Amino acid sequence: MSKIFEIGLPGSVRSKKNSKTATIVGGKNKPRRAMVIPSKAYQKWEQEVQQTIKSAVMADPKLPTEKTIGVRVTAYIKGVMPDLSGVLESVGDCLEGLVWVDDKQIYSWDGSRVYRDKYNPRTIVEVFELED
């Protein structure tokens, strides 16, 4: 198992599944319907994270990788503690297409953890190539 990418993301990760907003879409010539979308806070976090990642991977011709990978996420949260699965979903969605092509390539999230750190919130993401 060899590390192919590592990045530190500033601030607390936003859990996609816990940060949703209900809204009404449609109107005029389209039927109106209710829809659940990510919150503005999540969307802002995702944009900031993707900019940070784009800057980091721009010079690496090996990324996005198409290889089978393992990912370890260590999140240090300032506020309300999200569940680990929500953190992994958020990080996975942000890195898809930038670090890996599709999240179907992830065979392992081994070692991922969520901790509290109200003074230095951050998220460390490590990506490893798995042996076939």
Side-chain angles (χ1 to χ4, degrees):
M1 186 164 73
S2 61
K3 190 182 295 187
I4 58 174
F5 182 75
E6 180 174 352
I7 192 166
L9 306 171
S12 293
V13 64
R14 297 284 183 167
S15 176
K16 190 174 190 176
K17 70 182 197 179
N18 292 337
S19 297
K20 295 188 178 179
T21 302
T23 188
I24 304 294
V25 295
K28 291 208 177 192
N29 299 328
K30 296 181 181 179
R32 294 174 55 97
R33 62 185 167 91
M35 195 171 159
V36 178
I37 60 173
S39 69
K40 288 189 190 304
Y42 175 83
Q43 291 176 25
K44 181 181 178 200
W45 175 82
E46 183 178 54
Q47 287 176 341
E48 290 171 358
V49 166
Q50 286 183 335
Q51 283 294 12
T52 301
I53 295 165
K54 283 177 187 175
S55 297
V57 303
M58 198 178 316
D60 192 338
K62 298 178 294 194
L63 298 176
T65 185
E66 294 182 7
K67 297 179 179 188
T68 301
I69 56 172
V71 181
R72 180 171 43 229
V73 175
T74 308
Y76 298 89
I77 307 297
K78 180 179 183 175
V80 176
M81 291 288 282
D83 59 85
L84 179 60
S85 64
V87 168
L88 299 180
E89 178 185 8
S90 295
V91 170
D93 287 349
C94 284
L95 277 75
E96 186 174 54
L98 298 171
V99 178
W100 51 79
V101 176
D102 191 298
D103 57 12
K104 289 187 273 186
Q105 297 168 241
I106 303 171
Y107 278 57
S108 167
W109 290 96
D110 290 353
S112 295
R113 302 278 191 271
V114 178
Y115 299 103
R116 179 171 308 285
D117 187 340
K118 63 182 182 177
Y119 301 108
N120 187 19
R122 65 209 180 276
T123 303
I124 300 165
V125 181
E126 299 167 277
V127 181
F128 302 90
E129 180 182 345
L130 298 178
E131 307 298 325
D132 290 333

